[in-house]
């Protein structure tokens, strides 16, 4: 600023002193009001290279992505104060695209494993497809379809007959999901009970081999469009067990299932929910019905009914109705979407209410499935939304500058957190942004967190992803077509980014359904004194690969009998030197890659340990299966739970779980 001012004065000597001073003053105020961009412009030769994501976009995104593929455009690394950690000081910029595949010869000759291993073939294909997709996106060949054309027109009402429903594998597609006030009516008849050996609904430690009479059915609202390549989330699972429940009574169980993890079930067994339990839109969660085991219950309630009628005190009439579903008897069930939850009535009478649980919105409930021992005669869905926002307007509501990531800092970073995510996990990313990414260490850039996302097969998803990345500045795109078996490449990309771009002391990997207590994680790492190399997490020792079933690992993929000790994938930390070792090995094509990223990490740490000892710290507080009190990280947290946990942490100052009822 000073220099500019002097230059200015030198060329303006013919002005009078007063005029000159006035101009200087004016100029000074101008500088003050544009302080940030001004400093940036003078600090670097190419202004737009600079971080400040709120003001300018990084150059790649303005100019186009070609630069991302140029080999060797890196500046010579300048050593940092911290020995071993290097970083491009003075040219810190946010890279939207990971550079791990810059060397295009990767996977051409297969690295260490044999040339035609399945992993390398898959990777090679995914990388070349991803490159095409990204180049298309970047050059504008793949363009956003106009919003008008993207919004599907949906019928306000859908109905199917028995025949059509069976033909569609008992799934009714609700193309635009549900909206407030939508209702679905199912007319059906439960089957007569059949004998089942040790029926699935029985419970108990002793293995029963006796025959049990069972009849039950399940009605589910599923998020058919919410995910790809995994089971759709069950937004509502409604399961009446007419016969065969372990309690020996007819019950109705309701639950949700998110990422294959069931929540805690809401069981209705004929007792009315107590007043202490919160109600749903003013309705009780469970209505009462006649229970054959409570002999005098009927008489008693009849007495109170008469009494109430005579005295005229209570308007509510308590009459004991039987269990709403009976074998071989037709029923009409109606599900209604309320403000706070789903309400279910059978034959006109309210039976249960289930509060909304997961972070999914009503529009996400795009399928109604009926399973089990039941004949469905017809299904009607009405008061449906006529347009599907394709999640776009909803996304626009979320596009607020307060959730943008701060630009990369000039100073050393303590911890870099790489969060694995997928193209269409917008709700999950938003929950992370609004919760633990608001921690002051992240806000002040002592900790940097970024999402690592690969490309989606559907181009619209990538168009949206690119926009989201440009807006929030917290997404690193790993340019390959997303594939379940290639997650390990994202882990390598996290290491590469943490080492080359951020130069962080510690590097952490987690998932987009992991809640992280950032401060506690750093403290845990700092506790390790006198040792440079560390690997912290919930460590598995002597685990064996599964050789059968859906997730089987072949002997080709993993010939050894055991896995090395490895930290569970949803949350672990490494020191800089280990990450650097991994990146170097990868670049020299010496890194052994296995489809399970957490096992791979254990394997790499084991190899590193041959040259320098690693402190391996095991803690159960990196919780793998949900949440425990006093956690460091919690997993399988739905977007809603994330927000709730963050709220609790702020309000109570204590790490507490949010197990939604
Ligand atoms: C790319 O890989 C080849 C083969 O290992 C290697 O010789 C070359 O140096 C690499 N290039 C860069 C820029 O890393
Ligand atoms: C929607 O896209 C189709 C081609 O896919 C085009 O023919 C049509 O004109 C578009 N409609 C609008 C309203 O843009
Ligand atoms: C590291 O190596 C030492 C021996 O050099 C061994 O005792 C230790 O178990 C190894 N740790 C890991 C994590 O492999």
């Amino acid at each position: 600023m000073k220099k500019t001012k002097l230059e200015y004065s030198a060329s303006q000597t013919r002005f009078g002193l007063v005029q000159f001073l006035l101009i200087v003053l004016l100029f000074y105020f101008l500088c003050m009001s544009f302080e940030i961009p001004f400093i940036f412009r003078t600090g670097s030769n190419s202004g737009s290279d600079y971080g400040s994501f709120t003001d300018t976009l990084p150059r790649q995104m303005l100019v186009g992505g070609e630069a991302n593929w140029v080999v060797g455009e890196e500046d010579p690394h300048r050593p940092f104060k911290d020995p071993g950690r290097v970083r491009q000081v003075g040219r810190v910029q946010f890279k939207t695209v990971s550079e791990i595949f810059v060397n295009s010869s990767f996977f051409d000759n297969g690295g260490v494993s044999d040339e035609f291993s399945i992993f390398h073939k898959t990777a090679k294909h995914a990388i070349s497809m991803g490159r095409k997709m990204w180049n298309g996106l970047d050059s504008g060949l793949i363009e956003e379809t106009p919003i008008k054309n993207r919004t599907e027109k949906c019928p306000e009402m859908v109905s199917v007959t028995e025949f059509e429903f069976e033909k569609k594998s008992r799934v009714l597609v609700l193309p635009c999901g549900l909206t407030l006030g939508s209702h679905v009516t199912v007319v059906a008849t439960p089957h007569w009970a059949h004998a089942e050996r040790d029926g699935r609904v029985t419970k108990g430690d002793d293995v029963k081999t006796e025959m049990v009479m069972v009849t039950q059915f399940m009605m589910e609202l599923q998020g058919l469009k919410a995910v790809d390549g995994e089971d759709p989330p069950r937004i509502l699972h409604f399961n009446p067990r007419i016969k065969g429940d372990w309690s020996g009574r007819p019950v109705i169980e309701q639950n949700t299932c998110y990422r294959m993890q069931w929540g805690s079930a809401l069981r209705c067994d004929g007792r009315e929910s107590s007043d202490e339990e919160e109600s749903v839109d003013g309705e009780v969660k469970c209505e009462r019905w006649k229970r054959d085991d409570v002999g005098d219950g009927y008489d008693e309630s009849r007495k109170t009914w008469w009494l109430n009628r005579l005295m005229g005190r209570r308007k509510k009439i308590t009459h004991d109705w039987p269990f709403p579903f009976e074998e071989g008897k037709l029923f009409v069930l109606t599900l209604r979407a309320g403000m706070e939850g789903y309400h279910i009535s059978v034959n006109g009478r309210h039976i249960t209410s289930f509060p909304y649980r997961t972070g999914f919105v009503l529009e996400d409930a795009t399928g109604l499935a009926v399973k089990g021992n039941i004949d469905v005669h017809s299904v009607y869905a009405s008061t449906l939304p006529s347009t599907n926002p394709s999640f776009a307007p909803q996304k626009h509501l979320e596009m607020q500058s307060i959730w943008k990531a701060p630009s990369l800092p000039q100073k050393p970073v303590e911890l870099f957190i790489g969060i694995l995510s997928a193209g269409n996990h917008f709700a999950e990313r938003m929950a992370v942004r609004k919760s633990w990414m608001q921690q002051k260490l992240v806000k002040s850039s002592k900790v940097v967190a970024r999402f690592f996302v690969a490309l989606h097969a559907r181009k619209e998803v990538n168009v949206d992803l690119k926009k989201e990345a440009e807006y929030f500045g917290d997404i690193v795109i790993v340019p390959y077509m997303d594939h379940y078996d290639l997650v390990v490449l994202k882990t390598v990309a996290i290491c590469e980014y943490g080492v080359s771009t951020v130069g962080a002391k510690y590097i952490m990997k987690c998932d987009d359904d992991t809640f992280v207590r950032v401060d506690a994680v750093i403290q845990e790492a700092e506790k390790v004194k006198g040792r440079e190399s560390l690997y912290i997490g919930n460590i598995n020792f002597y685990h064996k690969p599964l050789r059968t079933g859906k997730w089987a690992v072949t002997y080709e993929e993993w010939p050894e009998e055991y896995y090395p000790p490895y930290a569970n994938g949803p949350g672990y930390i490494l020191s800089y030197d280990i990450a650097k070792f991994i990146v170097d090995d990868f670049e020299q094509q010496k890194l052994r890659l296995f489809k399970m990223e957490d096992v791979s990490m254990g394997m790499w740490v084991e190899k590193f340990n041959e040259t320098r000892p690693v402190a391996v710290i095991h803690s159960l507080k990196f919780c793998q299966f949900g949440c425990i009190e006093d956690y460091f990280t919690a997993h399988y947290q739905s977007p809603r739970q994330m927000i709730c946990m963050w709220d609790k942490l702020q309000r109570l100052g204590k790490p507490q779980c949010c197990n939604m009822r």
Side-chain angles (χ1 to χ4, degrees), residues 605-625:
V605 169
E606 192 176 51
K607 190 176 168 204
F608 179 93
N609 182 58
E610 285 165 14
T611 54
R612 218 180 316 163
V614 178
V616 179
I617 317 285
H618 167 61
S619 173
L620 290 172
K621 290 187 179 185
F622 292 90
C623 188
Q624 153 95 336
F625 299 103

Side-chain angles (χ1 to χ4, degrees), residues 51-58 61 94 396 398-408 429-430 432-435 437-439 442-445 447-451 467-475:
S52 177
F53 208 84
T54 41
D55 297 310
T56 47
L57 294 175
M61 296 197 302
F94 172 65
H396 288 150
E398 301 277 25
M399 294 280 194
Q400 290 176 17
S401 57
I402 43 165
W403 311 126
K404 285 183 180 184
S407 50
L408 287 180
R429 280 193 291 278
M430 218 51 234
V432 172
R433 284 179 188 127
K434 290 179 177 177
S435 60
M437 264 167 86
Q438 292 300 308
Q439 222 273 350
V442 183
K443 282 306 213 188
S444 63
S445 297
V447 174
V448 172
R450 294 286 183 264
F451 297 98
K467 263 206 253 160
E468 188 190 334
E470 285 165 9
Y471 189 83
F472 292 105
D474 58 9
I475 294 177

Side-chain angles (χ1 to χ4, degrees), residues 350-363:
H350 177 254
I351 300 293
T352 63
S353 287
F354 188 74
Y356 297 134
R357 256 193 203 171
T358 55
F360 295 104
V361 290
L362 281 168
E363 283 83 12

Side-chain angles (χ1 to χ4, degrees), residues 127-145:
I127 293 167
S128 76
M129 294 295 289
R131 181 166 308 189
K132 260 185 222 148
M133 173 72 87
W134 182 253
N135 285 343
L137 279 174
D138 232 23
S139 60
L141 279 177
I142 298 175
E143 272 179 356
E144 194 184 353
T145 20

Side-chain angles (χ1 to χ4, degrees), residues 133-163:
M133 173 72 87
W134 182 253
N135 285 343
L137 279 174
D138 232 23
S139 60
L141 279 177
I142 298 175
E143 272 179 356
E144 194 184 353
T145 20
I147 298 280
K148 255 189 192 163
N149 235 354
R150 293 175 71 198
T151 48
E152 305 166 53
K153 271 277 174 215
C154 293
E156 204 227 346
M157 194 200 124
V158 186
S159 70
V160 285
T161 60
E162 179 161 14
F163 177 70

Side-chain angles (χ1 to χ4, degrees), residues 4-20:
T4 333
K5 229 190 280 182
L6 285 175
E7 277 168 8
Y8 195 79
S9 76
S11 62
Q12 303 291 329
T13 40
R14 65 174 184 274
F15 275 70
L17 188 66
V18 177
Q19 282 147 305
F20 172 67

